[in-house]
Amino acid sequence: MDIETKAARDTASQGYTGQAESFPMLLDTGTEHPKTNIPFIAVIDGRQFSGRSLSLVSASVSGLAGPELEAKERIAVLRFDFDGYTISLQVNVRISRTHAETGEVRLDFLEPTGEHLPTLRYLLNSYIAGDITSVDGIISLRERAAVSGGKKPGTQAGIGNMVGRSLKTAATVAASLALAGIAANLVYERVFSKEVKQLAVLSAGGQPLRAIASGQISYLDLGATRGEVLYTLQSVSGTTLSVNMPCDCRILPTRAGEGSTVMAGDPIVEVVDETATPVVQAVVSAEQAKQLVSGDIAELRFSDGKVVFGSLSRDAEALTAIGNEGEMRALIEPTTELESEATGSPVSVRIISQRIFALRQKLGEWFREGAAT
């Protein structure tokens, strides 16, 4: 059911003069989104405001609003108090003080088509249709009385009332489940899992050969075989240092090349043997490193939308300290085999609590078993 301007105006202007207390008042402003006087409460920065009118795109509230809120963008919680339960919607709004003396404030919705829209539309439509009534600021669902005419209500009227009540109950349950799902997702993202700030990269899983001293690379042979000179380094002390290729392995270049100046410990190339498997190199915080060590799971999301899971590598260099901010370079082994062509791809990493991950996997199995039966 959608709110239509014409239908709303007709409802406000036709035959309800004798029962004005039983139907909502439409505050038609001449726009396609007329406001209603449905009872609600708005909470902004911990302050509670009394709702005066509400539409799909804005709201008017009154309360103690200081000048510091003028033209500010905030998250407003719109609360609808029913008999025995409450529905709350979070909406991003821009605040305008319309009457400083009375404390009246206008809230313009920044994202009118956001996640709150289906529930808000259902509430407003139900209120306009008379399915929701208000008593002392508490709103409740109302059963429509059968209209007495020349005929007595029969079986069709009874079935219609039953279907109507079932639809209203189903809509309320659906709205509650949607809100519960949103809340659960927020808890999952902020409490039970942590996003790694920096993008990670998929490495071939080889062994990096690092500079043995600080200086400039004067020679680099990416086609060197076992025993041949791989690179020559002109050190800052004036000596020339040569490093031979340690194995018959595949050589992958890094940022260093001939003429590059490197510091001792900087990677020159990466050598990959036949037993190497791809790993994800990620820069994690000290807290996230502790989570990986304790066995928490890494969710790896690639640019093509593919999602796999992994855990901290058992390599001796699985965690390496970098910088002075407590950050560490972590090597994460995917549990799913990846193609070598994906080497170098950027990866978004999220660390998930091991218990929550196990619970999520169990729920997934239940849903799949239920769908199969």
Side-chain angles (χ1 to χ4, degrees):
M1 184 190 306
D2 292 328
I3 298 178
E4 296 289 341
T5 305
K6 183 178 184 307
R9 292 175 180 170
D10 292 344
T11 305
S13 60
Q14 293 178 5
Y16 297 143
T17 55
Q19 301 177 2
E21 69 282 357
S22 301
F23 292 89
M25 180 184 298
L26 292 181
L27 308 178
D28 193 349
T29 58
T31 70
E32 62 179 0
H33 297 290
K35 294 184 177 181
T36 69
N37 60 341
I38 182 173
F40 71 98
I41 292 173
V43 180
I44 305 174
D45 290 347
R47 302 181 187 177
Q48 186 167 296
F49 296 82
S50 177
R52 299 176 64 88
S53 62
L54 178 65
S55 74
L56 292 177
V57 296
S58 65
S60 294
V61 299
S62 61
L64 296 177
E68 70 277 3
L69 294 178
E70 177 66 31
K72 298 295 190 216
E73 295 182 3
R74 293 288 190 271
I75 294 180
V77 178
L78 306 182
R79 195 179 76 202
F80 303 86
D81 295 326
F82 283 80
D83 255 342
Y85 65 96
T86 296
I87 293 180
S88 298
L89 304 177
Q90 291 188 356
V91 186
N92 292 327
V93 301
R94 180 180 289 107
I95 303 172
S96 304
R97 299 173 69 216
T98 54
H99 294 90
E101 296 80 4
T102 61
E104 186 171 343
V105 174
R106 176 185 174 89
L107 309 177
D108 292 308
F109 300 168
L110 297 179
E111 298 180 7
T113 59
E115 295 180 350
H116 67 279
L117 177 61
T119 305
L120 180 59
R121 177 187 290 160
Y122 169 75
L123 290 173
L124 293 182
N125 285 344
S126 298
Y127 187 70
I128 291 174
D131 295 336
I132 293 179
T133 60
S134 63
V135 179
D136 296 331
I138 303 297
I139 55 182
S140 60
L141 300 177
R142 180 180 65 183
E143 297 182 6
R144 295 182 179 177
V147 179
S148 59
K151 300 180 180 179
K152 294 182 179 181
T155 305
Q156 290 184 347
I159 295 176
N161 290 337
M162 185 181 299
V163 171
R165 288 195 299 269
S166 300
L167 290 176
K168 284 183 279 187
T169 302
T172 303
V173 171
S176 301
L177 290 176
L179 292 174
I182 294 172
N185 186 60
L186 289 175
V187 172
Y188 169 77
E189 291 185 352
R190 298 183 181 181
V191 178
F192 298 113
S193 67
K194 299 293 182 182
E195 184 81 21
V196 175
K197 293 183 179 180
Q198 298 187 32
L199 276 177
V201 64
L202 182 65
S203 169
Q207 180 68 30
L209 295 184
R210 304 181 184 276
I212 57 178
S214 300
Q216 186 178 34
I217 300 174
S218 58
Y219 173 78
L220 177 62
D221 183 7
L222 297 180
T225 59
R226 183 187 181 92
E228 295 181 349
V229 176
L230 176 61
Y231 71 87
T232 301
L233 183 69
Q234 201 75 29
S235 69
V236 293
S237 63
T239 59
T240 300
L241 305 172
S242 296
V243 175
N244 293 339
M245 184 67 181
C247 60
D248 289 324
C249 305
R250 185 159 52 101
I251 302 175
L252 299 180
T254 62
R255 295 180 181 179
E258 289 188 9
S260 299
T261 300
V262 294
M263 302 296 292
D266 287 349
I268 304 298
V269 295
E270 183 179 0
V271 293
V272 184
D273 60 20
E274 296 179 353
T275 62
T277 56
V279 295
V280 172
Q281 295 186 6
V283 177
V284 300
S285 65
E287 185 64 29
Q288 291 169 338
K290 292 179 182 178
Q291 291 180 266
L292 289 172
V293 170
S294 66
D296 284 352
I297 306 300
E299 181 185 76
L300 311 174
R301 189 178 299 272
F302 292 83
S303 57
D304 60 358
K306 185 177 183 179
V307 177
V308 300
F309 300 96
S311 57
L312 186 65
S313 172
R314 297 185 180 181
D315 189 273
E317 297 184 354
L319 285 175
T320 307
I322 57 174
N324 300 320
E325 302 296 330
E327 294 180 327
M328 307 193 77
R329 179 182 290 107
L331 300 182
I332 301 172
E333 291 184 353
T335 56
T336 304
E337 185 175 349
L338 300 174
E339 299 178 357
S340 59
E341 291 79 5
T343 301
S345 301
V347 185
S348 176
V349 181
R350 175 178 289 275
I351 311 298
I352 307 173
S353 167
Q354 187 177 16
R355 294 181 179 179
I356 296 300
F357 179 79
L359 177 60
R360 194 175 80 171
Q361 295 295 95
K362 193 66 176 177
L363 291 175
E365 292 178 4
W366 288 345
F367 282 125
R368 285 192 293 269
E369 291 175 359
T373 56

